[in-house]
Amino acid sequence: MPRKPNYDRDELIERARDLFWKRGWAGTSLKDLEAVLEMKPGSFYAAFGSKEALFKLAMEKYATDGRERLKALAQEHGPIKALQRFPKMVVENDTAPAKACMLSKTLLELHAHKHPLAHEANLHLLKMEAHFAELFQQAQSAGDIDVSHDPKVLARRYQSDLLGLRVSAEREGVDAKAIAAEIANGLIRL
Amino acid sequence: MPRKPNYDRDELIERARDLFWKRGWAGTSLKDLEAVLEMKPGSFYAAFGSKEALFKLAMEKYATDGRERLKALAQEHGPIKALQRFPKMVVENDTAPAKACMLSKTLLELHAHKHPLAHEANLHLLKMEAHFAELFQQAQSAGDIDVSHDPKVLARRYQSDLLGLRVSAEREGVDAKAIAAEIANGLIRL
DNA sequence: TGTATACTTGAGTGATCACTCAAGAAAGCC
DNA sequence: GGCTTTCTTGAGTGATCACTCAAGTATACA
């Protein structure tokens, strides 16, 4: 009896993610979304409910994709190599809508307003940090990093450096690849 | 013959800076500014011309204040100690409107729109980086840092770490002071 | 093919956006 | 006190914001 929608929901969320990632929350208007998703307002609200609900979906996709890329890297090269390659990978991805992390952008834009999406971004960052800690611990088990270090401390610092790297990569005239290499090299001396 | 304005322009710019710093460009409405500056729209536009013009002034004040704080630190403690203390100082300043750097917030928010203010933020960041490089060079002359390092490379990395630190400080549940201490310690081993 | 059921359309909602401007108030000089 | 000049006031500008909804359209099952 029903009629099926003539779009791929997941693909729409990806397109929305790219737009939100690039332009931020306030910088993305519904008109922009309508253009990119090729949807009229009625369909949009029937499909997603609100701009905020779609942003949340987009951010979830962003976060899980990031974790999966890290996981894939670890499976292929092992924990320490994954941690070393990740910064470079992030910075060299020229197809990405922005160099900076969508989670940090969201956090910085909306934290002062105590917007629920800022809290959401925070949670995703925590999850990623936990993932980093896990890899650091595995690297210790493999003998690649001295066990005197607390993996959680290493992960906290690593993520901080990564966030800094990605802000720097958004700047003009800054050699982000060089910084990424420095971060990678810093892991050898642990 | 004329009538003098009944406000202190510099103080108004400071108040605007605090609001912009905290809430960002799009997050700060003219209504917000009118409330904080205690000005009606007519006076506001007579005094500053536009929201963008005031933001630019606010960002300039932010940038020069930052450079002066660093300079004061260097004069009191010397270059290497200044570089070590600066991250801690930034993170521990509880009176600041936000932990994150106003320049990076502006850059991340407006870079995708190619907004002139993003370019402006970029220039201020470059100036600050040059200041860092100068201190690194002075620290080398003083024998505190090995001369094998390029001060410009050190400054680039230092600023990246600092930006990451300040994003991390904006998060909840992250011990930013610990990261600041790690950054400071990292400078000893150079 | 008829009908029920969803999806699509797009003009329209009130609210808020940055900004304007004419009129009134206050200060400095004679 | 009168006059000039600037500052202050605040209602009002069109544009854009996120969002709604009634009407039209297409699809799947009978």
Side-chain angles (χ1 to χ4, degrees), chain B residues 6 8 17 27 31-32 44 58 71 79 93 95-97 112 139 154 188:
Chain B
N6 60 356
D8 178 348
R17 175 204 59 195
K31 232 182 158 188
D32 296 331
F44 178 91
K71 205 175 285 180
N93 182 7
T95 63
L154 293 177
I188 315 175

Side-chain angles (χ1 to χ4, degrees), chain A residues 9 19 44 48 139 158 179 181:
Chain A
R9 186 178 167 86
L19 196 60
F44 178 91
F48 301 113
Y158 180 77
I179 303 176

Side-chain angles (χ1 to χ4, degrees), chain A residues 1 3 6-7 40-43:
Chain A
M1 322 124 143
R3 179 183 166 194
N6 60 357
Y7 52 74
K40 307 293 171 190
S43 299

Side-chain angles (χ1 to χ4, degrees), chain B residues 1-3 6-7 40-43:
Chain B
M1 319 130 140
R3 178 183 166 192
N6 60 356
Y7 52 74
K40 306 295 171 188
S43 299

Side-chain angles (χ1 to χ4, degrees), chain B residues 114-145:
Chain B
K114 297 185 180 173
H115 196 294
L117 290 171
H119 181 64
E120 206 73 23
N122 234 322
L123 295 180
H124 288 305
L125 283 169
L126 275 175
K127 228 183 251 180
M128 196 67 180
E129 192 176 318
H131 199 164
F132 289 141
E134 208 177 306
L135 289 182
F136 274 113
Q137 210 209 309
Q138 288 172 17
Q140 287 180 321
S141 300
D144 292 321
I145 286 181

